[in-house]
């Protein structure tokens, strides 16, 4: 993500003004579902209150009966888990129940998160159909495919070819929403979702697309990958993540996902979009040639951080917070800390940082919800976006003191152990995510422009404020959407309520031309109204195109 900026003097302030930063990328919508939080509001509450959402293995999730006695590593039954991962409303997306059962649950989760992220961005999904919107989704592993194939040939159907393909996770979103832009599932190991965000920014800045969905999804459906972490010495035996702490003994596995809606900043400002934060620039590299394939390399990390700041047009000394990769491993944390100290800390080799400068604040969301593997990076980005919006830094948990290998004072770093105001100075942050095979990514993030529209209650007949609730999932049969009297005509010309399909109608029915139904989760005041597809996606107006 290479940005071109008019200079660095503008970085000394607290805000990013809009038009002069047109090469940057705006986050205009977000969604997440993580352990302990089903939406953005719940996630911020979890972060603000310092909640550790690590728990016991849900009943029926894994079958550990085949493991020899005493061969189940400590920590295998602990992690950050989602509830109701099998729940899905296929009718909402026009998918048959049989096909839905054959779909990897990550495909289902990615569909739901993408829809809610667009809703949060106040973009009616139907208005994107046939356009060049792009999808970049990070994902690793194939647990569901392993479960299906392990159940015998009878479990494989004609839907399995696409349903079990990791590469189809992004393609499923593009197909269901009718998006014609680039559509890629990214696997860079644990850095996948942040790399996906980086690639989405590159696509936007190249002009290949005008809007992109980026993020990642991850689910732990079998014990195999967690066993691999344990036998490699990377799994915390007590089920806690101690990032940058003397007690660090491994990571904790988590699951969930997040999606961000991205636009070029100039377009977002021109369209009147609400901007949640600005991605000023980023970089991706690899540890190639280091001490080992899975051994983090300090030189590569330092080069990554400097390159990201250079591309963002930011002096490293102005960055006030970094969301760590921060897995809580004895091998990885000291390397990451040393790189941060060399680039952002008080004692950088270039001597530009003053000895009395405030230390760099750091933290890791993995201490709250565990390591979400291919979805970890985007969840860290969403944490930073929420923190900038609320102007508060949440606490990084489970930290009492660093080990000798991480001399925080000498490095000019402090772990943010209590929720409090954003540090004085520019509201600039970095987000890091590193992959097992050495693919590293870092993104520099700024707060929204000062003139970005604020969240406001809707007036009668205006587009409603974005909601951050995920699509409801019924226990059995699909539940209709919020009742609306939009005209949905069947071949016989009868009228009916809008149903739970993306086009707003029940299967076999057709929506009123030029209209789409109110967004899922919103309740328009009577008379019921549709959103006109005319005009820009962010400035569409409501008109009474449905019968009263």
């Amino acid at each position: 993500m290479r940005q071109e900026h008019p200079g660095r003097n503008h970085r000394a302030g607290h805000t990013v003004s809009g038009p002069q930063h047109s090469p940057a990328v705006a986050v205009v919508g977000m969604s997440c579902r993580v352990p302990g939080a089903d939406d953005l509001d719940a996630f911020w509450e979890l972060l603000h209150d310092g909640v550790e959402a690590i728990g016991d293995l849900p009943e029926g999730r894994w079958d550990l009966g085949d493991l020899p006695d005493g061969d189940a590593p400590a920590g295998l039954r602990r992690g950050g888990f989602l509830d109701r991962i099998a729940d899905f409303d296929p009718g909402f997306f026009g998918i048959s129940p049989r096909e839905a059962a054959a779909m990897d649950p990550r495909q289902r989760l990615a569909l739901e998160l993408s829809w809610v992220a667009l809703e949060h961005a106040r973009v009616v999904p139907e208005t994107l159909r046939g356009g060049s919107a792009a999808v970049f989704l990070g994902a690793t592993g194939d647990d569901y495919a392993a479960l299906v194939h392990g159940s015998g040939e009878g479990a494989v159907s004609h839907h399995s070819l696409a349903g079990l393909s990791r590469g189809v996770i992004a393609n499923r979103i593009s197909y269901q929403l009718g998006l014609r832009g680039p559509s890629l599932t990214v696997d860079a190991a644990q850095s996948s979702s942040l790399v996906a965000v980086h690639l989405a920014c590159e696509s936007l800045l190249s002009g290949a697309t005008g809007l992109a969905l980026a993020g990642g999804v991850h689910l732990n459906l079998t014990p195999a990958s967690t066993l691999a972490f344990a036998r490699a010495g990377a799994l915390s035996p007590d089920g806690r993540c101690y990032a940058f702490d003397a007690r660090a003994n491994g990571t904790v596995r988590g699951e969930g996902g997040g999606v961000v809606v991205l636009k070029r900043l100039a377009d977002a400002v021109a369209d009147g979009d609400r901007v949640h934060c600005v991605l000023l620039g980023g970089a991706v590299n690899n540890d190639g040639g280091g001490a080992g394939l899975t051994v983090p390399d300090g030189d590569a990390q330092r080069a990554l951080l400097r390159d990201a700041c250079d591309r963002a047009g930011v002096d490293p000394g102005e960055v006030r917070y970094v969301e760590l990769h921060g897995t809580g491993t004895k091998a990885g944390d000291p390397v990451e800390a040393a790189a941060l100290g060399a680039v952002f800390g008080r004692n950088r080799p270039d001597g530009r940082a003053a000895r009395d400068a405030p230390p760099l604040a750091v933290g890791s969301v993995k201490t709250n919800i565990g390591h979400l593997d291919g979805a970890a990076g985007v969840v860290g980005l969403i944490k930073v976006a929420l923190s900038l919006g609320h102007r508060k830094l949440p606490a990084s948990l489970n930290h009492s003191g660093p080990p000798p290998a991480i001399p925080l004072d000498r490095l000019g770093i402090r772990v943010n152990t209590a929720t409090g105001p954003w540090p004085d100075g520019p509201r600039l942050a970095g987000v890091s995510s590193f992959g097992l095979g050495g693919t590293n990514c870092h993104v520099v993030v700024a707060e929204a422009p000062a003139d970005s529209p604020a969240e406001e209650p809707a007036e009668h007949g205006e587009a409603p404020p974005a909601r951050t609730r995920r699509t409801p999932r019924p226990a059995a049969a699909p539940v209709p959407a919020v009742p609306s009297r939009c005209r949905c005509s069947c071949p016989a010309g009868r009228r009916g309520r809008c149903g739970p399909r993306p086009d707003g109608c029940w299967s076999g029915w057709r929506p009123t031309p030029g209209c789409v139904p109110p967004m899922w989760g919103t309740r328009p005041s009577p008379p019921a109204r549709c959103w006109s597809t005319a005009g820009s996606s962010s400035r569409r107006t409501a008109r009474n195109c449905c019968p009263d």
Side-chain angles (χ1 to χ4, degrees), residues 29-66:
M30 304 182 290
S31 68
C32 70
R33 188 181 174 203
V34 298
D38 283 351
D39 53 52
L40 293 173
D41 292 338
F43 186 37
W44 175 249
E45 184 178 355
L46 178 150
L47 294 169
H48 181 274
D49 296 346
V51 175
E52 186 176 19
I54 305 301
D56 293 329
L57 180 71
E59 185 177 355
R61 175 67 73 92
W62 294 339
D63 181 8
L64 301 177
D66 294 335

Coordinates of all heavy atoms in Angstrom, one line a residue, residues 29-66:
G29 N -16.9 1.1 7.0 CA -17.8 0.1 7.6 C -17.0 -1.0 8.2 O -15.9 -1.4 7.8
M30 N -17.6 -1.7 9.3 CA -16.9 -2.8 10.0 C -17.9 -3.7 10.5 O -19.1 -3.4 10.7 CB -16.1 -2.2 11.1 CG -15.0 -1.2 10.8 SD -14.0 -0.7 12.2 CE -15.3 0.2 13.2
S31 N -17.5 -4.9 10.7 CA -18.3 -5.9 11.5 C -17.3 -6.9 12.1 O -16.2 -7.1 11.6 CB -19.3 -6.6 10.5 OG -18.6 -7.5 9.6
C32 N -17.8 -7.6 13.1 CA -17.0 -8.6 13.7 C -17.8 -9.6 14.5 O -19.0 -9.2 15.0 CB -15.9 -8.0 14.6 SG -16.5 -7.3 16.2
R33 N -17.3 -10.8 14.7 CA -17.9 -11.7 15.6 C -16.7 -12.5 16.2 O -16.0 -13.2 15.6 CB -18.9 -12.7 14.9 CG -19.6 -13.6 15.9 CD -20.5 -14.6 15.2 NE -21.1 -15.5 16.2 CZ -21.6 -16.7 15.9 NH1 -21.6 -17.1 14.6 NH2 -22.1 -17.5 16.8
V34 N -16.5 -12.3 17.5 CA -15.4 -12.8 18.2 C -15.8 -13.5 19.5 O -17.0 -13.3 20.0 CB -14.3 -11.7 18.5 CG1 -13.8 -11.1 17.2 CG2 -14.9 -10.6 19.4
P35 N -15.0 -14.2 20.2 CA -15.4 -14.8 21.5 C -15.8 -13.7 22.5 O -15.2 -12.7 22.7 CB -14.1 -15.5 22.0 CG -13.3 -15.8 20.7 CD -13.6 -14.7 19.8
G36 N -17.0 -13.9 23.0 CA -17.6 -13.0 24.0 C -18.2 -11.8 23.4 O -18.7 -10.9 24.1
A37 N -18.2 -11.6 22.1 CA -18.8 -10.4 21.4 C -19.3 -10.8 20.1 O -18.6 -11.1 19.2 CB -17.8 -9.3 21.4
D38 N -20.6 -10.6 19.9 CA -21.3 -10.9 18.6 C -21.3 -9.7 17.6 O -21.7 -9.9 16.5 CB -22.7 -11.4 18.8 CG -22.7 -12.8 19.3 OD1 -21.7 -13.5 19.3 OD2 -23.8 -13.3 19.7
D39 N -20.9 -8.5 18.0 CA -21.0 -7.3 17.2 C -20.0 -6.3 17.7 O -19.3 -6.5 18.7 CB -22.4 -6.8 17.1 CG -23.0 -6.5 18.5 OD1 -22.3 -5.8 19.3 OD2 -24.1 -7.0 18.8
L40 N -19.9 -5.2 17.0 CA -19.0 -4.1 17.3 C -19.2 -3.5 18.7 O -18.3 -3.3 19.5 CB -19.0 -3.0 16.3 CG -18.5 -3.4 14.9 CD1 -18.8 -2.2 13.9 CD2 -17.1 -3.7 14.9
D41 N -20.5 -3.3 19.0 CA -20.8 -2.7 20.3 C -20.3 -3.6 21.5 O -19.7 -3.1 22.5 CB -22.3 -2.4 20.5 CG -22.7 -1.3 19.5 OD1 -21.9 -0.5 19.1 OD2 -24.0 -1.3 19.2
A42 N -20.6 -4.9 21.3 CA -20.2 -5.8 22.4 C -18.7 -6.0 22.4 O -18.1 -6.2 23.5 CB -20.9 -7.2 22.1
F43 N -18.0 -5.9 21.3 CA -16.6 -6.0 21.2 C -15.9 -4.8 21.9 O -15.0 -5.0 22.7 CB -16.1 -6.1 19.8 CG -14.6 -6.3 19.6 CD1 -14.0 -7.2 20.4 CD2 -14.0 -5.7 18.6 CE1 -12.6 -7.4 20.3 CE2 -12.6 -6.0 18.4 CZ -11.9 -6.8 19.2
W44 N -16.4 -3.6 21.7 CA -15.9 -2.5 22.4 C -16.1 -2.6 23.9 O -15.2 -2.3 24.7 CB -16.4 -1.2 21.9 CG -15.9 0.0 22.7 CD1 -16.6 0.8 23.5 CD2 -14.6 0.5 22.7 NE1 -15.8 1.7 24.1 CE2 -14.5 1.5 23.6 CE3 -13.4 0.1 22.1 CZ2 -13.4 2.2 23.9 CZ3 -12.2 0.7 22.4 CH2 -12.2 1.8 23.3
E45 N -17.3 -3.0 24.3 CA -17.5 -3.2 25.7 C -16.6 -4.2 26.3 O -16.1 -4.0 27.4 CB -19.0 -3.6 25.9 CG -19.4 -3.8 27.4 CD -20.9 -4.2 27.5 OE1 -21.6 -4.3 26.5 OE2 -21.3 -4.4 28.7
L46 N -16.3 -5.3 25.6 CA -15.4 -6.3 26.1 C -14.0 -5.7 26.3 O -13.3 -5.9 27.3 CB -15.4 -7.5 25.1 CG -14.4 -8.7 25.4 CD1 -15.1 -9.9 24.8 CD2 -13.1 -8.4 24.7
L47 N -13.5 -4.9 25.3 CA -12.2 -4.3 25.3 C -12.1 -3.3 26.4 O -11.2 -3.2 27.2 CB -11.9 -3.7 24.0 CG -11.7 -4.6 22.8 CD1 -11.7 -3.8 21.5 CD2 -10.5 -5.4 22.9
H48 N -13.1 -2.4 26.5 CA -13.1 -1.3 27.5 C -13.1 -1.8 28.9 O -12.4 -1.3 29.8 CB -14.4 -0.4 27.2 CG -14.4 0.7 28.2 ND1 -15.0 0.7 29.4 CD2 -14.0 2.0 28.0 CE1 -14.9 1.8 30.0 NE2 -14.3 2.7 29.2
D49 N -13.9 -2.9 29.1 CA -14.0 -3.5 30.5 C -12.9 -4.5 30.8 O -12.9 -5.0 31.9 CB -15.4 -4.1 30.7 CG -16.5 -3.1 30.6 OD1 -16.2 -1.9 30.6 OD2 -17.7 -3.5 30.4
G50 N -12.0 -4.7 29.9 CA -10.9 -5.7 30.1 C -11.3 -7.1 30.4 O -10.8 -7.8 31.3
V51 N -12.3 -7.6 29.5 CA -12.8 -8.9 29.7 C -11.9 -9.9 29.0 O -11.5 -9.7 27.9 CB -14.2 -9.0 29.1 CG1 -14.8 -10.4 29.2 CG2 -15.2 -8.1 29.9
E52 N -11.6 -11.0 29.7 CA -10.9 -12.1 29.1 C -11.9 -13.2 28.7 O -12.5 -13.8 29.5 CB -9.9 -12.7 30.0 CG -9.0 -13.8 29.4 CD -7.9 -14.3 30.4 OE1 -8.1 -14.0 31.6 OE2 -6.9 -14.9 30.0
A53 N -12.2 -13.4 27.4 CA -13.3 -14.2 26.9 C -12.8 -15.6 26.6 O -13.3 -16.3 25.7 CB -13.9 -13.6 25.7
I54 N -11.8 -16.1 27.3 CA -11.3 -17.5 27.1 C -12.1 -18.4 28.0 O -12.4 -18.1 29.2 CB -9.8 -17.5 27.5 CG1 -9.0 -16.5 26.7 CG2 -9.2 -18.9 27.3 CD1 -9.1 -16.7 25.2
G55 N -12.5 -19.5 27.4 CA -13.3 -20.5 28.2 C -13.0 -21.9 27.9 O -12.0 -22.2 27.2
D56 N -13.8 -22.8 28.4 CA -13.6 -24.2 28.2 C -14.1 -24.6 26.8 O -15.0 -24.0 26.3 CB -14.3 -25.0 29.3 CG -13.7 -24.8 30.7 OD1 -12.4 -24.6 30.7 OD2 -14.4 -24.9 31.7
L57 N -13.6 -25.7 26.3 CA -14.1 -26.3 25.1 C -15.6 -26.6 25.1 O -16.0 -27.2 26.0 CB -13.3 -27.6 24.8 CG -13.6 -28.4 23.5 CD1 -13.0 -27.6 22.3 CD2 -13.0 -29.8 23.6
P58 N -16.3 -26.0 24.1 CA -17.8 -26.3 24.1 C -18.1 -27.8 24.0 O -17.4 -28.5 23.3 CB -18.3 -25.5 22.9 CG -17.2 -24.5 22.6 CD -15.9 -25.1 23.0
E59 N -19.1 -28.2 24.7 CA -19.5 -29.6 24.6 C -19.8 -30.0 23.2 O -20.5 -29.3 22.5 CB -20.7 -29.8 25.5 CG -21.1 -31.3 25.7 CD -22.3 -31.5 26.6 OE1 -22.7 -30.5 27.2 OE2 -22.7 -32.6 26.7
G60 N -19.2 -31.1 22.8 CA -19.5 -31.7 21.5 C -18.6 -31.1 20.4 O -18.8 -31.5 19.2
R61 N -17.8 -30.1 20.7 CA -17.0 -29.5 19.6 C -15.9 -30.5 19.1 O -15.7 -30.6 17.9 CB -16.3 -28.2 20.2 CG -15.4 -27.5 19.2 CD -16.1 -27.0 18.0 NE -16.9 -25.8 18.3 CZ -16.4 -24.5 18.2 NH1 -15.2 -24.3 17.8 NH2 -17.2 -23.5 18.5
W62 N -15.1 -31.0 19.9 CA -14.0 -32.0 19.5 C -14.2 -33.3 20.1 O -14.7 -33.4 21.3 CB -12.6 -31.4 19.9 CG -12.2 -30.2 19.3 CD1 -12.7 -29.7 18.1 CD2 -11.2 -29.3 19.8 NE1 -12.0 -28.5 17.8 CE2 -11.1 -28.2 18.8 CE3 -10.4 -29.2 20.9 CZ2 -10.3 -27.1 19.0 CZ3 -9.5 -28.2 21.0 CH2 -9.5 -27.1 20.1
D63 N -13.8 -34.3 19.4 CA -13.8 -35.7 20.0 C -12.4 -36.0 20.4 O -11.5 -36.2 19.5 CB -14.3 -36.7 18.9 CG -14.3 -38.1 19.5 OD1 -14.1 -38.3 20.7 OD2 -14.6 -39.0 18.7
L64 N -12.1 -36.0 21.7 CA -10.8 -36.3 22.2 C -10.6 -37.8 22.6 O -9.6 -38.2 23.1 CB -10.4 -35.4 23.3 CG -10.5 -33.9 23.0 CD1 -10.2 -33.1 24.3 CD2 -9.5 -33.5 22.0
G65 N -11.6 -38.6 22.3 CA -11.6 -40.0 22.7 C -10.5 -40.8 22.1 O -10.1 -41.9 22.7
D66 N -10.1 -40.4 20.9 CA -9.1 -41.3 20.2 C -7.6 -41.0 20.7 O -6.7 -41.7 20.4 CB -9.1 -41.0 18.7 CG -10.4 -41.5 18.1 OD1 -11.0 -42.4 18.7 OD2 -10.8 -40.9 17.1

